Amino acid sequence: MCGRMTMTHPNDAMAQLFEAAPANDLPHVPNYNVCPTNAVAVVTARAGGAESADRAFRPMRWGFVPHWYKKPNDGPLLINARAETIAEKPAFRAAVRTRRCLIPATGFYEWTKGEDDARLPWYFSRPDGAPMVFAGIWQVWDKGEEPLTTCAIITTGASDWMAKTHHREPVVVAPEDWATWLGETAAKAAPLMRPAPEGAFQRWRVDREVNSNRARGAGLIAPLAA
């Protein structure tokens, strides 16, 4: 599962990285505590294929809203979609065929249980400091006063290393696979929904301050003193 993340890389640098045209209303960065229902910056495909105009770098609500919801909170908050069942689930099956996206992040948090079931947070990032890029799906929910564009992160079973902390992990898409995941090539995207290779992440314990969705600041990802 991926239920909280960070984004500290500048929006203009991310737009250049993905060869994407940035929207004017992208979420403010840095953000060390991106929570469900917050806006996240998402990459969507070139409308006419790999040789057409730039991709789009645009804000979306993190929390996928199925088309049958009468209001955004009409059912469970769908921040993640399981890779193993995404093609069959009514909420996701159309999106995974035709509306795939890339969701960049600097890192993400997971929790283990301590004494008395205390929630102990861990921070995960790439060892080289580069952004990680999650596989996502998106759609527009149009039953409100204004259309709401929403997304979810795809997760898969954890690698042996990740399983020491959590049994699920976000699907990370390598740069050479971005075009395939976005549907800009004829290659199949399903094989990309797999755990990250060994060494893809590093992790350390952080203070329980991040357990609050109101917590802010770079101190949230500081390694916990021994």
Side-chain angles (χ1 to χ4, degrees):
M1 178 177 178
C2 180
R4 208 82 72 78
M5 56 184 167
T6 66
M7 172 46 78
T8 64
H9 293 81
N11 286 325
D12 57 351
M14 290 295 93
Q16 291 178 11
L17 178 65
F18 292 104
E19 299 178 352
N24 293 324
D25 55 347
L26 290 168
H28 174 76
V29 290
N31 187 342
Y32 293 90
N33 195 5
V34 182
C35 302
T37 74
N38 288 171
V40 292
V42 172
V43 181
T44 54
R46 297 176 170 98
E51 301 304 321
S52 69
D54 284 348
R55 296 164 177 151
F57 193 46
R58 49 194 290 211
M60 294 187 186
R61 175 192 186 264
W62 183 21
F64 193 95
V65 180
H67 65 84
W68 62 81
Y69 278 24
K70 295 181 180 179
K71 51 187 178 180
N73 60 351
D74 210 22
L77 182 60
L78 305 177
I79 60 171
N80 296 149
R82 296 174 67 96
E84 299 88 341
T85 58
I86 194 171
E88 290 80 38
K89 290 288 186 180
F92 304 133
R93 61 192 178 197
V96 77
R97 289 195 303 268
T98 62
R99 295 186 303 278
R100 297 192 296 269
C101 62
L102 300 170
I103 304 174
T106 304
F108 64 95
Y109 300 96
E110 286 294 358
W111 282 261
T112 55
K113 284 188 177 182
E115 296 180 3
D116 300 323
D117 288 336
R119 297 181 72 228
L120 307 178
W122 295 76
Y123 184 64
F124 291 77
S125 66
R126 281 181 45 151
D128 61 4
M132 55 184 68
V133 181
F134 302 141
I137 52 174
W138 68 278
Q139 79 169 8
V140 177
W141 180 81
D142 59 2
K143 292 181 171 58
E145 293 183 2
E146 295 184 2
L148 181 64
T149 306
T150 69
C151 66
I153 294 170
I154 297 175
T155 67
T156 190
S159 66
D160 290 343
W161 181 84
M162 183 70 189
K164 297 174 183 177
T165 308
H166 199 274
H167 66 286
R168 306 287 298 174
E169 67 176 80
V171 171
V172 175
V173 184
E176 61 268 24
D177 296 321
W178 292 348
T180 295
W181 182 254
L182 291 175
E184 296 170 349
T185 73
K188 293 184 177 180
L192 302 180
M193 293 189 289
R194 59 181 183 262
E198 184 176 354
F201 302 139
Q202 61 181 352
R203 68 182 172 195
W204 57 83
R205 273 273 283 120
V206 294
D207 192 90
R208 284 189 286 177
E209 181 184 6
V210 77
N211 291 359
S212 169
N213 59 13
R214 297 182 180 181
R216 295 291 182 267
L220 296 179
I221 65 170
L224 192 65

